[in-house]
Amino acid sequence: NRYKCEYFQVSTQPQSVRTDLVEKEFWRLVESSDDPVMVQYGADLHSSKHGSGFPYGNRIFTDEDISYAESPWNLNNLPNLESSVLRHVTADISGMKVPWLYVGMCFSSFCWHNEDHWSYSINYLHWGEPKTWYGVPGHAAEKFEKVMESTVPELFRDHPDLLHHLVTLVSPTLLMQHRVPVVSTNQCAGEFVVTFPRAYHAGFNQGFNFAEAVNFCPADWIRNGRACMDHYREMRRYTVFSHDELICRMSLNLSNMDLHIAEAVDQDLDVMLQIEMKLRDNVAKAGIIQEDCESFELLPDDERQCCYCQALCFLSGLSCGCKPGSIVCLHHMTELCECPMSGKCLRYRYTLEELQTMKSRVAARANKYTTWCTEVEQLLDSEGDDRPTIADLKSLLTEAEEYG
């Protein structure tokens, strides 16, 4: 607070400085090389170590705390709700499943980025001065990336994954001049900000404040998560978890699966199975005959990471005796070594037949949801003597409760 008062030459009320004046000065500083400013930002602080701004666990002291502790809007609960895909990720991934804390001061900033695995994120400002946000919708992500690359081509030439490192700030004015859509908002204390899949965002703090953030993934994220894996593979960027492993784990726990999620998983399994069949066909055509079943989920990540694209292998991988401990995903089976393909080994988690069975089981559960929706629509569209009775509606409600 003292820093902001001195910088803007106000007496004792830093919040009296208009947000638009702070914003104008922030971007002037970003674009100027002659007026360096150094500020501090307590960013990415683990709530498991420093505590959460929300009541949870043994931090419940009053009856009011209980309602907040059990609320789905409590960021400690949100990633693990029944309708969240992340509840099926077994590891407590800090920042994704476990909230991170942010203590900001005037001009402390976060550079342009989108979330790991193109997940949703939610940020809650507990107290303090506003946080100014800028966002680019996910559908404009590729256009945004091209503009960023053309703005600082020498940096992207040396670091193609520059945007993954959260070190680049370009003004929203410049982006809009290149027809990139940009939205902005000032988040005040007590407000949430949600970012959507692949949406780039950046911003800065207007003054001293305290925020908390976490990721979440509803059913409609699954398709984005699959597309993100393709993008990461192309960029040779590490993954936080294996998307295929997540989908398979969900498929093996149907009793705990929301029907809406089951429908999305069924669609993703279809894509996953088609890709895996094609990849294994390529392996067979290459003359690889040695096969070993491998429980990839039991291996440390560094022992199942494709040594070419850094993806975490789960459904399959390729190894060779000349490189103990190394593996490549089947997308990059020619990148492992120069040994004859006939001497290499296909390591797989499931046979194709097992994957087909998995797909059929998920499809059966997903179809219950589709059938129920059709029955509801038909009843609601009925007229005259065919209009549904109270008993009909109660029957559908009971059925929905049984399916979860």
Side-chain angles (χ1 to χ4, degrees):
N1 283 339
R2 184 171 66 250
Y3 170 83
K4 184 177 179 181
C5 288
E6 293 175 353
Y7 191 95
F8 289 97
Q9 298 180 351
V10 296
S11 55
T12 58
Q13 299 296 325
Q15 63 271 24
S16 66
V17 184
R18 297 202 326 262
T19 56
D20 61 316
L21 293 181
V22 180
E23 180 180 31
K24 184 177 180 180
E25 180 63 9
F26 173 79
W27 288 111
R28 186 192 70 79
L29 292 170
V30 169
E31 296 171 347
S32 171
S33 58
D34 302 324
D35 199 1
V37 167
M38 181 178 294
V39 296
Q40 294 180 320
Y41 194 11
D44 300 345
L45 303 175
H46 296 213
S47 62
S48 57
K49 178 179 180 181
H50 300 282
S52 169
F54 296 93
Y56 75 103
N58 60 359
R59 294 174 53 84
I60 301 173
F61 307 106
T62 68
D63 291 341
E64 186 179 21
D65 284 347
I66 295 175
S67 64
Y68 285 113
E70 296 176 350
S71 170
W73 288 99
N74 184 323
L75 299 196
N76 296 283
N77 300 331
L78 188 60
N80 297 300
L81 296 177
E82 186 175 349
S83 57
S84 171
V85 172
L86 285 183
R87 71 193 294 258
H88 298 275
V89 176
T90 54
D92 286 334
I93 306 168
S94 185
M96 286 201 76
K97 286 190 66 178
V98 180
W100 271 349
L101 312 174
Y102 300 85
V103 182
M105 66 175 288
C106 186
F107 298 144
S108 58
S109 63
F110 49 103
C111 297
W112 287 108
H113 68 288
N114 52 26
E115 299 299 309
D116 287 337
H117 291 255
W118 296 352
S119 60
Y120 288 79
S121 76
I122 183 167
N123 183 293
Y124 181 72
L125 190 61
H126 286 284
W127 51 256
E129 294 199 61
K131 187 187 295 285
T132 298
W133 291 76
Y134 305 95
V136 174
H139 67 77
E142 291 186 10
K143 190 171 187 178
F144 167 86
E145 292 164 357
K146 289 178 181 177
V147 171
M148 292 289 283
E149 187 171 354
S150 66
T151 303
V152 284
E154 65 285 351
L155 293 179
F156 278 88
R157 191 179 306 115
D158 296 334
H159 305 282
D161 61 345
L162 184 67
L163 289 172
H164 296 153
H165 297 290
L166 282 77
V167 294
T168 312
L169 270 177
V170 169
S171 78
T173 301
L174 185 146
L175 293 171
M176 289 187 290
Q177 288 172 350
H178 288 81
R179 299 183 181 279
V180 175
V182 181
V183 296
S184 66
T185 190
N186 287 317
Q187 177 191 18
C188 297
E191 294 180 345
F192 290 95
V193 166
V194 175
T195 69
F196 281 65
R198 207 182 181 181
Y200 277 96
H201 47 284
F204 68 94
N205 296 296
Q206 293 273 340
F208 186 39
N209 60 20
F210 171 57
E212 190 166 353
V214 78
N215 293 104
F216 66 101
C217 296
D220 65 4
W221 164 82
I222 292 177
R223 176 173 51 85
N224 291 289
R226 172 71 60 187
C228 182
M229 291 301 93
D230 295 337
H231 179 73
Y232 279 7
R233 190 181 303 113
E234 181 181 346
M235 298 296 295
R236 298 170 69 175
R237 183 206 193 278
Y238 74 91
T239 58
V240 178
F241 57 83
S242 165
H243 185 88
D244 290 334
E245 180 180 352
L246 171 62
I247 295 300
C248 289
R249 176 174 285 114
M250 294 170 69
S251 302
L252 295 173
N253 290 278
L254 292 178
S255 59
N256 297 322
M257 188 185 294
D258 175 272
L259 285 179
H260 191 46
I261 290 180
E263 186 178 29
V265 169
D266 180 44
Q267 294 171 2
D268 194 74
L269 271 172
D270 189 50
V271 175
M272 185 186 81
L273 188 55
Q274 294 302 317
I275 293 173
E276 189 65 16
M277 290 172 63
K278 183 176 180 180
L279 290 172
R280 294 198 192 181
D281 185 54
N282 291 340
V283 166
K285 289 179 179 177
I288 299 171
I289 56 175
Q290 185 179 348
E291 298 181 353
D292 280 328
C293 184
E294 179 75 73
S295 297
F296 284 101
E297 70 275 17
L298 301 180
L299 299 177
D301 285 354
D302 59 356
E303 292 183 18
R304 58 169 176 149
Q305 189 175 53
C306 173
C307 61
Y308 182 79
C309 71
Q310 300 193 67
L312 291 176
C313 296
F314 178 72
L315 290 180
S316 55
L318 201 67
S319 60
C320 182
C322 77
K323 284 190 174 183
S326 294
I327 192 171
V328 290
C329 66
L330 299 192
H331 291 274
H332 301 114
M333 65 179 187
T334 60
E335 304 293 340
L336 180 60
C337 62
E338 296 183 358
C339 297
M341 286 291 182
S342 58
K344 298 176 182 178
C345 178
L346 169 67
R347 295 159 65 183
Y348 65 91
R349 180 62 184 88
Y350 300 106
T351 65
L352 292 178
E353 291 74 18
E354 288 172 329
L355 290 175
Q356 290 278 13
T357 301
M358 189 184 298
K359 168 74 172 66
S360 298
R361 292 177 65 243
V362 175
R365 181 166 178 82
N367 287 338
K368 291 181 180 179
Y369 173 74
T370 304
T371 302
W372 183 85
C373 287
T374 301
E375 291 177 359
V376 170
E377 290 176 358
Q378 289 175 346
L379 280 178
L380 294 180
D381 289 340
S382 300
E383 297 179 355
D385 295 338
D386 294 329
R387 292 177 63 185
T389 64
I390 295 297
D392 292 331
L393 297 176
K394 284 185 175 180
S395 175
L396 285 172
L397 180 59
T398 301
E399 190 176 353
E401 290 173 345
E402 290 176 354
Y403 293 155

